[in-house]
Amino acid sequence: MSNWTDTRDGFARLGAEYTPDYSGYVINVRDEGEDWYVYAWDERNGVTAYLARAATENAAREILEIHAGLRHSGFLCEVFVSDEVGHCPEGATGVRWTDSKRTSGRVRVLLCPHHGGVFDDWAWSPISQYRAEWGIALEESGIPGGRRGPLRDGESTWVVEVDHTCQAPYVRNTLRRALAKTAPTWSSSDYVSAARALVKSLPDEGPWYLTRVELHTIRIALERRRARYVQCTAPGNCDAHTVITERITEASEHAIRRRQQDLS
């Protein structure tokens, strides 16, 4: 949880200075109106360095909180790590970008703090600032072929991003409904076992790292629920329910294709 200290008109510090929680500060540089500068603590160099500019205090705070890892941007790092891990599963906090003179198109890469030095000759912006200036949507950050997560108990996992507080309760409730049905929802006891475990362990916040069986378990339950209820019947944001269903389906399809490739 963010801990803003020394907050006063035109200035706020994130964390207490000279403590491990200190992350930097935001300051309004105009006597009249608003023009906020964001400064982040660079532990490696021992200095508080300029990070970004923002139009409002809330926007400036968001930039610093995301940079400090206290708030999720909703995007994942796009750096490829290895064949086993795939792309980095950490949350992205910044964007490296350039204007290509050859193609007249903008090239950008989302980066987590650990990979923030990649392409260091490109321009850098916090995600919030880049999004405000150039526009970027979650669906534009997809990794071709699906995004793999870290191995879990020797089995590959797939990353599913969670960006709304109603998505996890919606999925857990869907699994509970499926388990309570008299007619079986799944054709295998492996799926039933996975559903029971997910009801207890699926966290409220993401990203989720789910195995192929877990993805398929959730996917079947969601598809059958949505087939029965044409209109949204669950509390929460119906658009967010649709989004998490689409993400689960996409990740499940990628996992199945990868499984077929491994067996061929």
Side-chain angles (χ1 to χ4, degrees), residues 68-90:
L70 299 176
R71 185 190 298 197
H72 296 292
S73 68
F75 296 90
L76 295 175
C77 183
E78 294 181 326
V79 172
F80 183 81
V81 178
S82 68
D83 289 335
E84 290 75 25
V85 175
H87 285 77
C88 176
E90 299 300 322

Side-chain angles (χ1 to χ4, degrees), residues 18 38 47-49 64-65 69-70 77 87 105-106 114-115 127 131 133 139 144 155 157 175 196 207 240 249 252 257:
Y18 308 115
V38 183
V47 298
T48 305
L64 188 54
E65 287 178 358
L70 299 176
C77 183
H87 285 77
R106 181 171 291 104
H114 178 72
H115 291 119
I127 286 180
R131 195 175 188 180
E133 293 179 359
E139 56 268 21
E155 186 175 0
T157 60
L175 292 170
R196 289 172 177 164
T249 300
S252 175
R257 285 199 292 270

Side-chain angles (χ1 to χ4, degrees), residues 3-18 21-29 35-42 46-54 56-68 70 126:
N3 181 25
W4 289 91
T5 62
D6 297 339
T7 301
R8 55 184 183 271
D9 187 28
F11 178 83
R13 183 178 283 126
L14 181 54
E17 201 170 9
Y18 308 115
D21 294 331
Y22 179 62
S23 299
Y25 64 87
V26 299
I27 185 169
N28 185 14
V29 298
D35 187 7
W36 290 83
Y37 281 27
V38 183
Y39 290 85
W41 170 248
D42 186 343
V47 298
T48 305
Y50 172 77
L51 178 65
R53 189 174 178 177
T56 66
E57 181 177 1
N58 287 338
R61 289 191 181 210
E62 179 185 0
I63 289 172
L64 188 54
E65 287 178 358
I66 290 175
H67 180 77
L70 299 176

Side-chain angles (χ1 to χ4, degrees), residues 175-176 178-179 186 190-200 217:
L175 292 170
R176 289 193 189 97
L179 288 168
W186 302 279
D190 290 341
Y191 297 139
V192 175
S193 299
R196 289 172 177 164
L198 287 165
V199 166
K200 297 178 181 179
T217 299

Side-chain angles (χ1 to χ4, degrees), residues 92-149:
T93 60
V95 183
R96 288 281 183 192
W97 58 274
T98 183
D99 286 320
S100 173
K101 295 180 180 178
R102 181 173 60 86
T103 62
S104 299
R106 181 171 291 104
V107 180
R108 63 111 185 100
V109 179
L110 297 166
L111 300 170
C112 68
H114 178 72
H115 291 119
V118 176
F119 307 121
D120 59 1
D121 56 333
W122 292 15
W124 185 91
S125 297
I127 286 180
S128 299
Q129 180 176 325
Y130 183 93
R131 195 175 188 180
E133 293 179 359
W134 304 108
I136 183 174
L138 283 170
E139 56 268 21
E140 295 173 356
S141 63
I143 296 297
R147 184 188 285 277
R148 298 183 69 187

Side-chain angles (χ1 to χ4, degrees), residues 166-221:
C166 76
Q167 289 172 333
Y170 174 67
V171 172
R172 288 196 298 264
N173 187 47
T174 299
L175 292 170
R176 289 193 189 97
R177 290 187 177 194
L179 288 168
K181 290 181 180 295
T182 304
T185 300
W186 302 279
S187 60
S188 169
S189 59
D190 290 341
Y191 297 139
V192 175
S193 299
R196 289 172 177 164
L198 287 165
V199 166
K200 297 178 181 179
S201 64
L202 196 67
D204 286 331
E205 295 184 354
W208 295 335
Y209 303 114
L210 303 173
T211 65
R212 177 179 54 84
V213 170
E214 289 171 338
L215 285 169
H216 203 52
T217 299
I218 298 173
R219 177 182 177 179
I220 291 173

